[in-house]
Amino acid sequence: MTRIDVMDRAAELRRQRVPFVLATVVRAQSPTSARPGDCAVILSDGTIEGFVGGSCALTTVKAESLRVLSRESSALLIISPHSTQSDENDSDGEVIRAFNPCLSGGTLEMFLEPSLPEPTIVIYGDSPIAQALLDAAAVVGFRPLEGTFMGSKELESDFVVIATHGIDEEPALIEALESKASYIGLVASKRRGAGVLSLLEDKGYDLSRIKSPAGLDIGGRTPGEIAISILAEIVTRRNSRSHRAETLAPNYPQIGIDPICGMDVVIDASAITVNLGGIDYYFCCNGCRVNFQKQHS
């Protein structure tokens, strides 16, 4: 793929709301096969489209790209065949130094930039609070969607707010409960909210994902103030470690360690493996695999 092809692919992935990392080589010290300007997209399953180096370099790029994607923060990755004590595992979240003994003498530096689709909030209702939420959600990086009763299979969002002021609250809550939403906020007084939730509890629904009344207690009175309190609660939830672990970690391949060179290896369909005594071993390249087999032959 040319650089233009990679950029077109990145634009397509953004339109499709698919998370990925754009890796761009910014410095290459000979001898390396990559050159400044080479780039690739790395998907959350470890798939690489484009070119940023040979097989050994790609092993590190894949592993570090998945970590960058899970942290949702960019980083400069420096891959070098030379290691000092301070270089190993040296990462401050902005610069990642990776020791790669397989490189033929050169050093690669590349910028890893994660691209994640903006999170969505499904908002039920045409009340002033619902409208305030629709207006304010984009300001804090969310994509607001108006909720409609179309079946839970169509409701794909981590965050749902029901602000119908008593109109069709129960079916809206049921639709949200039957989706994968991790946060369901009900805009209601404590008394009315408790009454609605008791009806759902009697029907056997797990109400642990529902927050009623929705929002942080900031003393909000106007629709705008209440909308801000709800968004603040959702942002707190989204940025929590537990939420990231729930929504991100299960989507990524596991990472193993090459027993020969000690490099991290992404365990996916393309991983080079050897099964010995019922144990799977993973390798950055065929050279390490051959050395391992010689040692155990």
Side-chain angles (χ1 to χ4, degrees), residues 14-36:
R14 290 190 184 97
R15 287 194 298 270
Q16 296 174 347
R17 296 177 54 77
V18 175
F20 68 93
V21 170
L22 177 62
T24 304
V25 177
V26 295
R27 180 174 177 268
Q29 181 185 57
S30 296
T32 58
S33 54
R35 294 292 180 266

Side-chain angles (χ1 to χ4, degrees), residues 64 71 73-76 87 89-97:
E64 296 302 339
R71 291 198 303 267
S73 61
S74 301
L76 177 66
D87 286 336
N89 300 320
D90 177 15
S91 171
D92 60 8
E94 296 180 354
V95 177
I96 302 169
R97 302 181 188 276

Side-chain angles (χ1 to χ4, degrees), residues 161-162 169 173 184-188 192-193 196-197 210-214:
V161 179
I162 291 129
E169 283 177 335
L173 283 166
I184 303 168
L186 174 61
V187 178
R192 185 164 61 81
V196 174
L197 297 187
I210 298 178
K211 174 64 187 306
S212 178

